[in-house]
Amino acid sequence: PNTGTQADSGSSQSEPECISQTREQRQQSTYLDEKIAVPQPGQEVFSLRKLWAYTGPGFLMSIAYLDPGNIESDLQTGTLARFDLLWLLLLAHILGLLMQRLAARLGVVSGCNLAEAAAEFYPAVPRFLLWLMVEVAIVGSDMQEVIGTAIALNLLSNGAIPLWAGVLITIVDTFTFLLLDKYGLRRLEAFFGFLILTMAVTFGYEYVVVQPDQRQVLRGLVVPGCRGCGGRQLLQAVGTIGAVIMPHNIYLHSALVQSRDVNRQDRRAVREANKYFFVESSIALFVSFLINLFVVSVFAQGYSEQAMSAIYNSCVANDNPHADIFSGNSSKLDMDIYRGGVFLGCQFGLACMYIWAVGILAAGQSSTMTGTYAGQFVMEGFLRLRWKRWQRVLLTRSLAIAPTVLLAALTDINRLTGLNDLLNVLMSQQLPFALIPILTFTASGRYMSEFRNHPVISLLAALLSAAVVAINVFFMAVFVQQLPQVWYVLAPLGLACLLYFCFIIYLVVLACAEIFPVCCGRLGDRCRGRGGQQLLGSGGDSEIVEPLLGDSELAGGTAT
């Protein structure tokens, strides 16, 4: 390798530990014990056979865009703003694709998943805080999935299975489904594909039955804005980003792509893997976007102009066992996945309610399993702990079920479904702790070599991260206004907000130091502290360590 030269991307730094481990110890340091063989690079521009070999991780990733929290956000968007926010839903999926692309590239090029890279890069205390934030997001997402599954079972049984019992059932069924991985990774991926197909068919059926105005759908997709929208619509609009893009999903995708046996020493193989993973992710997120579009459009057309009394009369006429939830005197009722299913059964026949429940059940079960895998990768990457899957499920599910069972047993279903709104806000609060690290590593020459981000991609990712922080400020402002205006409530909350934004600033400083070591490296060293790993070299002769390419290719002058 070349020595004594300072690379523009900061590649004079020592090779990250997780990269060096992947060369000799990869099979001992990952839960993905099975590697799927992929065809060698050829002369063809595109091959369906190769695309099929790479198909799997992107669809597993896309399930997080279809969890019960997203479905509830969709139907609330339709009831509050009708078709006017469909363009924002499309934009959220495009931005999500951008971040998932970065996650996949990190896993393919460096051989590190995001948790491993963060564990190597950040000092002990920030590393622990990052892990804690991701775990909070995983537990919050798991609570949404537990709630969705319990509601689906309640609807399918006509109320015979109470919510608290449905919550407990989710413990057993999750362990049962996790046994599927014993039959091979491809069969597991096929099962996830079946669950996505189930959601597409069930929610697509509702779309066909309700028959939304296609002109309004098209207009909502291509015309930005929101006609006649007020505060509630604005709050729903900014919440769409947090509901669609899940922080732990970025960690998950960077690990899932390593299930393919890509020769990382071959530049052509890496470039081809990046291409096919991007195509697969695009297809997967397009499918998830269509499913979300179905849900928004169904409730934009069917519910937005309905009066409570008319819905109740329809429920009675169709002998709906859940008609009582529409017997109130209010002119409008806040919609959620439970009331949404009952509404469809009242207006369009009981079959629509049961089909809706099947779709919610598929969403809850599939999201639960991907959340378990995300928890495994995060725990192993940050803490170097290897737990068996059933142990990880037991921990995560226990943390999610304990508060959910209490709410289900002590309150009514309205309180339980309303919890999804709070959890969506919680997801949004954790997003910076995935977006900033993934931007840091994918723009770094140490981790990505010649495959580091194009400046335009880095700029877009940075703008997205800034937008998420701005959204969080808005959410916090709205949340604070709803609290009792007393010092013993506002003071702790203010301190928590201050620490939250200070941590974000800290991560941004370290990101700038890694990406722009010449101008920001000294500040990054100070942020790391003496006990942390030094971001730049010690000042003497440094060796450029190339994480991807072999010595022969470096000698050819094709790499920095």
Side-chain angles (χ1 to χ4, degrees):
N2 298 324
T3 58
T5 304
Q6 176 73 26
D8 63 340
S9 62
S11 58
S12 62
Q13 307 157 53
S14 61
E15 184 181 51
E17 179 184 353
C18 65
I19 294 179
S20 61
Q21 283 184 345
T22 58
R23 292 177 177 170
E24 300 176 355
Q25 303 170 342
R26 197 61 191 165
Q27 292 300 324
Q28 288 76 38
S29 63
T30 177
Y31 279 96
L32 296 173
D33 298 324
E34 181 183 357
K35 291 284 188 178
I36 305 299
V38 294
Q40 295 300 315
Q43 299 299 323
E44 69 276 4
V45 177
F46 187 82
S47 168
L48 290 177
R49 183 174 69 91
K50 289 184 178 181
L51 177 61
W52 176 250
Y54 286 101
T55 296
F59 280 91
L60 267 68
M61 166 273 297
S62 71
I63 287 174
Y65 291 74
L66 298 168
D67 70 350
N70 271 303
I71 301 301
E72 180 158 311
S73 177
D74 291 337
L75 63 88
Q76 289 175 345
T77 298
T79 56
L80 290 174
R82 299 202 67 190
F83 304 96
D84 289 343
L85 293 180
L86 285 177
W87 64 272
L88 187 61
L89 180 68
L90 175 61
L91 178 61
H93 279 78
I94 293 174
L95 295 177
L97 177 61
L98 168 65
M99 305 312 299
Q100 301 298 161
R101 174 181 179 269
L102 298 185
R105 287 172 66 86
L106 175 66
V108 171
V109 176
S110 71
C112 307
N113 63 51
L114 182 54
E116 291 171 335
E120 183 273 337
F121 182 76
Y122 295 106
V125 174
R127 180 168 65 242
F128 176 78
L129 291 176
L130 271 179
W131 168 75
L132 188 62
M133 294 299 180
V134 179
E135 287 291 351
V136 168
I138 292 174
V139 172
S141 176
D142 205 50
M143 289 182 67
Q144 288 183 316
E145 291 138 16
V146 168
I147 293 171
T149 301
I151 290 173
L153 293 174
N154 183 269
L155 290 174
L156 288 172
S157 64
N158 285 332
I161 300 178
L163 289 178
W164 63 266
V167 170
L168 295 177
I169 289 174
T170 61
I171 302 177
V172 179
D173 59 22
T174 301
F175 282 109
T176 302
F177 283 125
L178 284 175
L179 295 176
L180 291 173
D181 68 354
K182 301 298 182 183
Y183 296 96
L185 186 58
R186 291 299 271 179
R187 288 185 175 87
L188 181 66
E189 291 172 348
F191 179 71
F192 279 107
F194 170 75
L195 292 177
I196 295 175
L197 178 63
T198 300
M199 287 182 272
V201 171
T202 53
F203 297 133
Y205 174 84
E206 310 286 357
Y207 186 87
V208 172
V209 170
V210 175
Q211 296 181 351
D213 187 340
Q214 300 305 305
R215 292 174 298 179
Q216 293 294 328
V217 172
L218 183 61
R219 185 187 185 282
L221 285 173
V222 300
V223 179
C226 188
R227 296 169 295 177
C229 290
R232 293 191 64 189
Q233 288 79 5
L234 178 60
L235 186 62
Q236 183 63 36
V238 297
T240 299
I241 301 294
V244 170
I245 305 175
M246 295 290 183
H248 61 281
N249 204 37
I250 298 175
Y251 286 86
L252 174 66
H253 198 198
S254 66
L256 290 176
V257 295
Q258 296 172 23
S259 63
R260 268 48 182 180
D261 192 10
V262 178
N263 180 11
R264 291 179 41 250
Q265 304 303 316
D266 184 348
R267 178 189 293 104
R268 293 177 60 212
V270 171
R271 183 176 292 111
E272 188 170 86
N274 286 333
K275 177 179 71 174
Y276 283 107
F277 276 131
F278 177 69
V279 173
E280 186 232 3
S281 298
S282 301
I283 296 172
L285 288 185
F286 177 71
V287 172
S288 71
F289 167 71
L290 287 181
I291 295 173
N292 284 290
L293 173 69
F294 291 159
V295 177
V296 174
S297 301
V298 163
F299 288 91
Q301 181 72 29
Y303 179 76
S304 61
E305 297 178 355
Q306 295 290 330
M308 284 279 292
S309 58
I311 298 175
Y312 177 73
N313 293 334
S314 298
C315 292
V316 174
N318 284 282
D319 293 326
N320 194 300
H322 307 277
D324 291 343
I325 65 170
F326 293 109
S327 60
N329 296 322
S330 61
S331 59
K332 281 287 183 180
L333 185 67
D334 291 336
M335 189 60 71
D336 53 47
I337 54 177
Y338 174 71
R339 299 185 186 97
V342 176
F343 164 75
L344 293 174
C346 294
Q347 292 294 104
F348 306 100
L350 281 177
C352 286
M353 183 182 75
Y354 296 127
I355 292 173
W356 169 265
V358 170
I360 297 297
L361 184 63
Q365 291 303 313
S366 57
S367 300
T368 293
M369 289 184 284
T370 55
T372 299
Y373 283 104
Q376 286 178 326
F377 293 126
V378 166
M379 179 174 288
E380 182 186 283
F382 277 110
L383 305 182
R384 304 289 193 249
L385 292 179
R386 284 181 53 84
W387 283 18
K388 295 180 180 178
R389 287 188 176 89
W390 69 268
Q391 294 172 329
R392 175 67 208 186
V393 172
L394 186 61
L395 173 65
T396 306
R397 187 45 58 92
S398 298
L399 293 175
I401 280 182
T404 310
V405 167
L406 289 176
L407 283 174
L410 301 178
T411 63
D412 58 11
I413 195 168
N414 298 330
R415 296 283 184 88
L416 189 62
T417 55
L419 184 61
N420 269 329
D421 296 334
L422 179 61
L423 293 173
N424 280 336
V425 174
L426 180 66
M427 296 294 114
S428 179
Q429 302 300 315
Q430 310 309 316
L431 260 179
F433 307 117
L435 299 183
I436 297 174
I438 194 63
L439 174 59
T440 301
F441 302 131
T442 54
S444 168
R446 275 206 309 153
Y447 289 86
M448 300 296 288
S449 179
E450 64 178 275
F451 292 96
R452 61 185 179 273
N453 292 343
H454 188 279
V456 174
I457 299 298
S458 294
L459 177 61
L460 290 176
L463 291 176
L464 174 60
S465 301
V468 169
V469 173
I471 288 173
N472 290 342
V473 172
F474 177 81
F475 270 132
M476 289 181 181
V478 173
F479 180 68
V480 168
Q481 292 175 1
Q482 298 173 350
L483 294 176
Q485 302 299 303
V486 292
W487 70 269
Y488 55 81
V489 173
L490 298 180
L493 182 62
L495 179 61
C497 293
L498 178 63
L499 295 176
Y500 174 84
F501 289 112
C502 285
F503 189 36
I504 290 177
I505 294 173
Y506 174 85
L507 296 179
V508 170
V509 170
L510 289 188
C512 293
E514 176 70 12
I515 301 171
F516 310 109
V518 175
C519 59
C520 303
R522 192 175 302 276
L523 179 59
D525 284 344
R526 291 181 180 178
C527 286
R528 285 175 179 271
R530 292 182 179 181
Q533 300 169 353
Q534 292 301 312
L535 188 63
L536 296 177
S538 59
D541 290 338
S542 58
E543 179 179 357
I544 297 179
V545 181
E546 178 60 24
L548 174 68
L549 306 177
D551 293 353
S552 60
E553 290 179 321
L554 282 168
T558 55
T560 305

